[in-house]
Amino acid sequence: MTRNKYVAYVSTYTMGDNHGIKIYDVDMKNGRLKEKDEVEITNSSYITISHNEKYLYSITDFGVEAYVIEQDGELTCINHAPINGMRGCYLSTDYEDRFLFVAGYHDGKITVLRLREDGGVGEIMEEIYHKGMGSIAERNFRPHVNCVKMTRDNHYLMVADIGMDHVDVYRLNHETGKLKHVDVIRSELESAPRHIKMTKDGKFVYIVHELKNYIDVYSYVEEDDNPFFTKIQNISTLNDYHAGGSAASALNFSADEKYLVSSNAGDNSVIIYRIDHKTGLLEKILCLPISGDYPKDAALFPDNKHLISLNHESNTMTFFTVDLENGLLVMNGKELPIESPNCVIFHKLQG
């Protein structure tokens, strides 16, 4: 039986070296990455892969860029497109890969772009600026759109506004790409909802809150053409004893969706939960240090036996062997240097 081969894509900010996306071969057996190539792009703050797994999209200083994922995992640029605003911080596609959504942290803007049949990015279909006053006169004094994710039924766009402490819900018009505001998922003041994940069965939503270091779990149903989100759990991303001034950051499912991973800056730790797929509830397995500063992203390898942490401030990636049965995390080899890493995606090669 041939073993599945994977590559990992890591997005970075660029200072001097304009190769903002690094491509790595994944050594699954040893839980390590080996650099394969790099892509010339400035300040790749976030990347995403289309749901048909043919294309990769990235934020860049000039808007967004689209790439074909070649059979060996290399990336070939298709085109780039402006977003008519300040540089985005997050992007995702709908589940039919017809639209690309971009979150604007700096200008509080949602941008919807049409996707072409060749995977390239087309024209802007919708632009919405969030308005309002947040809770405190620092970061939270105005809207900061930080995450944009469709519900699994492909009906609604969930938009996390880290400055306004809520998630706005919009109905997507699949013909025009226009958005209609239909609901608000309200968080606690000064909690800062940062990232959103939804289970593949479409029943449960997880929202990590940066400033209050917890995850809210919601059940989701659609009734009479309206979305209903019901909070069913609130669970901390920290241990009882932790560093002050911590901020929750990452939110990633394991490849088999049995586990959910988050991370904490300040505390410089990673936390892994077991997911109960019947109830959607989370059970903490471990919360342990990652040997780096500001783990902006963290993810389990597809085998669930290893973990990687992207340490944004210490400019490193650290690797660990994971024992999920016994709640153990053991350093696995030396750190890899990388400038200002932002996010990592594992991708299974075809063929």
Side-chain angles (χ1 to χ4, degrees):
M1 188 175 78
T2 57
R3 188 183 294 272
N4 290 327
K5 289 188 176 180
Y6 289 83
V7 292
Y9 301 107
V10 177
S11 68
T12 70
Y13 288 140
T14 50
M15 296 287 285
D17 173 17
N18 282 339
H19 293 88
I21 298 176
K22 312 288 186 185
I23 308 173
Y24 297 88
D25 284 318
V26 178
D27 180 348
M28 198 73 69
K29 182 180 177 185
N30 295 305
R32 300 283 298 184
L33 302 185
K34 182 181 179 183
E35 189 161 340
K36 174 188 180 80
D37 206 351
E38 53 187 13
V39 177
E40 191 166 342
I41 182 173
T42 58
N43 291 324
S44 175
S45 42
Y46 202 82
I47 52 178
T48 192
I49 290 177
S50 60
H51 292 98
N52 62 18
E53 300 193 337
K54 293 180 180 179
Y55 309 108
L56 181 142
Y57 300 98
S58 178
I59 299 287
T60 176
D61 279 349
F62 311 105
V64 291
E65 291 198 19
Y67 297 86
V68 171
I69 300 175
E70 305 292 352
Q71 198 164 1
D72 61 357
E74 296 282 357
L75 298 175
T76 302
C77 187
I78 305 171
N79 75 331
H80 67 268
I83 59 170
N84 193 29
M86 299 173 77
R87 184 167 56 81
C89 66
Y90 189 99
L91 76 177
S92 65
T93 65
D94 74 300
Y95 285 91
E96 294 174 343
D97 295 320
R98 293 177 61 191
F99 298 100
L100 182 69
F101 309 103
V102 181
Y105 174 89
H106 300 287
D107 51 9
K109 180 171 181 262
I110 309 160
T111 309
V112 183
L113 302 106
R114 188 176 291 284
L115 291 176
R116 307 186 321 213
E117 285 197 11
D118 68 351
V121 184
E123 69 274 26
I124 293 173
M125 309 303 293
E126 175 74 295
E127 300 172 276
I128 294 175
Y129 285 92
H130 277 187
K131 297 180 176 66
M133 296 295 288
S135 55
I136 54 176
E138 291 179 21
R139 186 176 74 184
N140 289 32
F141 72 104
R142 63 188 177 88
H144 293 293
V145 176
N146 206 77
C147 181
V148 278
K149 290 285 285 188
M150 287 296 290
T151 52
R152 288 278 176 170
D153 55 19
N154 216 33
H155 292 174
Y156 304 99
L157 184 69
M158 301 176 288
V159 179
D161 193 321
I162 205 167
M164 301 303 292
D165 295 319
H166 59 233
V167 173
D168 287 279
V169 182
Y170 295 86
R171 182 180 288 112
L172 173 66
N173 184 315
H174 291 267
E175 299 307 314
T176 65
K178 296 293 184 185
L179 299 173
K180 181 185 177 184
H181 194 269
V182 293
D183 199 6
V184 178
I185 305 170
R186 299 194 184 278
S187 298
E188 283 188 305
L189 284 179
E190 299 173 35
S191 61
R194 178 183 173 95
H195 280 155
I196 305 166
K197 294 290 182 186
M198 191 174 204
T199 52
K200 285 178 184 170
D201 62 13
K203 292 180 180 178
F204 304 106
V205 178
Y206 302 90
I207 305 171
V208 66
H209 293 73
E210 180 179 296
L211 295 182
K212 290 204 171 176
N213 299 92
Y214 58 62
I215 293 171
D216 278 342
V217 185
Y218 288 83
S219 63
Y220 164 78
V221 293
E222 185 183 44
E223 292 177 1
D224 300 324
D225 209 25
N226 283 299
F228 291 91
F229 298 89
T230 304
K231 189 192 288 192
I232 56 175
Q233 188 181 23
N234 169 277
I235 187 168
S236 175
T237 61
L238 294 163
N239 285 320
D240 293 336
Y241 305 100
H242 62 270
S246 291
S249 183
L251 194 67
N252 288 304
F253 287 127
S254 60
D256 59 9
E257 219 179 76
K258 290 181 179 178
Y259 307 98
L260 184 67
V261 180
S262 188
S263 62
N264 300 291
D267 194 54
N268 290 333
S269 60
V270 67
I271 184 160
I272 303 177
Y273 308 90
R274 184 176 288 105
I275 301 169
D276 184 324
H277 278 274
K278 288 182 181 176
T279 64
L281 300 178
L282 301 176
E283 176 194 357
K284 187 175 90 170
I285 298 174
L286 62 85
C287 181
L288 292 166
I290 47 76
S291 303
D293 193 15
Y294 186 7
K296 195 168 185 182
D297 203 12
L300 285 164
F301 277 57
D303 63 358
N304 290 345
K305 294 178 181 176
H306 303 95
L307 180 134
I308 180 173
S309 176
L310 272 57
N311 308 314
H312 189 78
E313 296 300 318
S314 52
N315 299 316
T316 59
M317 294 189 293
T318 44
F319 300 86
F320 301 87
T321 301
V322 184
D323 181 348
L324 293 171
E325 290 305 308
N326 296 302
L328 297 174
L329 199 66
V330 180
M331 192 92 178
N332 178 27
K334 62 182 182 181
E335 63 190 27
L336 277 184
I338 183 170
E339 288 292 318
S340 305
N342 290 314
C343 80
V344 59
I345 297 178
F346 289 95
H347 173 69
K348 186 165 73 171
L349 298 179
Q350 306 303 313

